Amino acid sequence: MPELPEVETTVRGLARFLEGERIARIAVNRPDLRRPFPPDLVQVMTGATVTAMGRRAKYGLIHSDRGQTMVFHLGMSGRWRIEPERPEKHDHLVIETGSGHVLALNDARRFGSVDLVATDGLETWGPFADMGPEPLGDALTAAHLRAAFKDRTAPIKQLLLDQSIVAGLGNIYVCEALFRSGIRPDKAAGRVSLAALARLVPAIREVLTESIAAGGSTIRDYAQPTGELGYFATSWQVYGREGQACTCGAPVLRFVQGGRSTFWCRRCQK
């Protein structure tokens, strides 16, 4: 599933072709993805000018001059294709700009979504209403995590995946950040020291920033809007490396938490 760096990479790629552009045509080629397309999407967005692009957690935001924002989620396999040479079967939404750019939202598994939300109501829109701070923003601090984890016995990795505590973190990057900060993933969150959390916050930012610079992590279907593959997977230190040697020489271990694989090093993470 595309995670925060993949969505950020996508948004930055789309911005080069959409920001400041008028949407000359928008075509919806099926009634739904994970849920139906907004019934007024074509009417509202045709002729609108894209004023800015953004991201909230794992959602991409296309702001318009009509006070409406098109919010997209890539689901399991979604990706935007820029200037495609030819239409593909799973191009479910196509945008053409006034200057002739063509962008297609392709989603073979159809777990993605597209919504139309009043721009001034985004913060209180359902999925965003109870989200925690962005991991790349100033609001994510060791003090915030300490307060959120107070008296919690659940494993720290599980709570970092809770979108009400931190918005947008996913399995890959939580595993990598916990490794970099030396925290074992099954440790009770309430027992993690403030000093350890002070290591964790910059580790989260570093791993996300490095992944964005690398174009994200390509897993199965994900590709950047240009069609290029993200290559941060080559920098994974523990994720997906069960049985391989950690940098300390000990084997990387794997176990399942909440239905997701957790990768870690017993020697490096305490």
Side-chain angles (χ1 to χ4, degrees), residues 9-225:
T9 300
T10 294
V11 167
R12 293 183 186 187
L14 291 175
R16 300 200 304 270
F17 298 86
L18 278 180
E19 276 193 352
E21 290 279 342
R22 182 180 63 85
I23 297 177
R25 188 178 80 91
I26 181 167
V28 174
N29 296 329
R30 60 170 295 111
D32 57 13
L33 295 177
R34 178 159 45 99
R35 55 179 176 268
F37 284 104
D40 55 347
L41 177 66
V42 173
Q43 178 182 351
V44 169
M45 296 303 287
T46 300
T49 296
V50 176
T51 55
M53 299 287 300
R55 179 193 53 76
R56 179 66 167 127
K58 301 175 188 177
Y59 292 82
L61 309 175
I62 303 175
H63 302 295
S64 78
D65 63 347
R66 294 184 175 173
Q68 296 286 318
T69 295
M70 192 169 87
V71 182
F72 66 86
H73 193 287
L74 296 175
M76 296 289 291
S77 61
R79 62 190 180 96
W80 284 90
R81 302 197 307 132
I82 293 178
E83 315 288 24
E85 293 183 3
R86 62 185 65 85
E88 289 188 0
K89 176 181 178 181
H90 300 295
D91 289 345
H92 302 310
L93 183 147
V94 179
I95 294 174
E96 294 182 16
T97 71
S99 59
H101 297 306
V102 177
L103 306 98
L105 178 59
N106 185 285
D107 188 353
R109 301 184 190 181
R110 301 202 305 273
F111 283 116
S113 62
V114 172
D115 294 280
L116 199 58
V117 183
T119 304
D120 60 7
L122 276 171
E123 289 187 10
T124 57
W125 179 57
F128 294 172
D130 298 318
M131 276 187 178
E134 285 285 324
L136 295 175
D138 294 337
L140 178 62
T141 63
H144 166 77
L145 293 179
R146 183 72 175 270
F149 294 162
K150 185 178 174 159
D151 300 326
R152 301 290 297 270
T153 58
I156 184 170
K157 188 204 168 195
Q158 294 296 93
L159 293 189
L160 288 171
L161 293 173
D162 183 338
Q163 301 296 290
S164 69
I165 294 176
V166 186
L169 287 184
N171 196 41
I172 295 172
Y173 301 102
V174 169
C175 285
E176 291 293 310
L178 287 171
F179 172 76
R180 292 187 184 204
S181 54
I183 302 169
R184 59 183 295 149
D186 57 352
K187 189 168 186 175
R191 296 185 60 192
V192 179
S193 70
L194 186 60
L197 295 176
R199 297 194 305 270
L200 176 61
V201 170
I204 289 171
R205 292 198 178 106
E206 287 167 8
V207 73
L208 291 174
T209 300
E210 289 172 18
S211 183
I212 291 167
S217 299
T218 295
I219 304 177
R220 301 186 182 93
D221 305 295
Y222 171 73
Q224 299 178 59

